[in-house]
């Protein structure tokens, strides 16, 4: 490789890295937007809508712990205990000391106490 070919190659690597970083930030923003929509739906009592939005958010950003938490809440509201437990446990794996970790543990304790 000559000197100008190396410069072009390095420039391409820098541009690819910048595009990847911008795409990652856009994806995180999209996931947060979907999650915020899900919270709004939850607050209006639309649990099916919340489940749809939070699943979309997690498909974009699988480490979004709050989406897992709201999935647990929504499934619990719909009396789908097994699904609720799955999502509360998932939330705790993602954020063992998260803002809602104490509540998630209490919900799990409650769900596990039911016949």
């Amino acid at each position: 490789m000559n000197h100008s070919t190396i410069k072009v190659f390095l420039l391409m690597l820098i541009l690819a890295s910048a595009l990847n970083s911008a795409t990652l930030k856009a994806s995180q923003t999209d996931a947060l937007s979907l999650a915020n929509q899900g919270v709004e739906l939850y607050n209006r009592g639309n649990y099916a809508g919340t489940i749809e939005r939070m699943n979309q958010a997690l498909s974009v950003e699988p480490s979004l712990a709050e989406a897992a938490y709201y999935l647990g809440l929504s499934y619990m509201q719909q009396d789908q205990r097994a699904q609720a437990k799955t999502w509360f446990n998932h939330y705790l794996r993602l954020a063992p000391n998260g803002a809602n970790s104490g509540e998630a543990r209490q919900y799990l304790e409650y769900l596990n106490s039911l016949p």
Side-chain angles (χ1 to χ4, degrees):
M1 277 190 191
N2 64 33
H3 190 63
S4 65
T5 303
I6 292 172
K7 282 184 181 180
V8 169
F9 179 73
L10 290 174
L11 181 59
M12 288 174 52
L13 282 176
I14 292 168
L15 287 173
S17 176
L19 285 173
N20 189 32
S21 177
T23 301
L24 181 59
K25 288 177 184 173
S27 293
Q28 289 170 335
T29 300
D30 292 344
L32 290 175
S33 176
L34 289 164
N36 285 333
Q37 292 171 26
V39 171
E40 289 174 18
L41 291 166
Y42 181 85
N43 289 336
R44 291 193 302 236
N46 184 346
Y47 307 120
T50 302
I51 290 167
E52 181 181 336
R53 285 296 184 284
M54 294 308 182
N55 278 317
Q56 291 170 341
L58 285 169
S59 73
V60 174
E61 182 59 54
S63 64
L64 192 58
E66 295 307 310
Y69 177 74
Y70 274 92
L71 280 167
L73 289 175
S74 297
Y75 280 116
M76 190 168 68
Q77 290 293 336
Q78 294 184 328
D79 202 30
Q80 295 182 37
R81 296 176 194 166
Q83 288 282 43
K85 287 194 250 184
T86 296
W87 286 107
F88 286 133
N89 279 315
H90 188 67
Y91 169 78
L92 290 169
R93 280 192 300 278
L94 292 173
N97 299 310
N100 296 307
S101 61
E103 291 164 354
R105 286 184 182 91
Q106 288 176 341
Y107 288 134
L108 281 168
E109 186 178 321
Y110 166 72
L111 290 167
N112 287 326
S113 73
L114 298 173

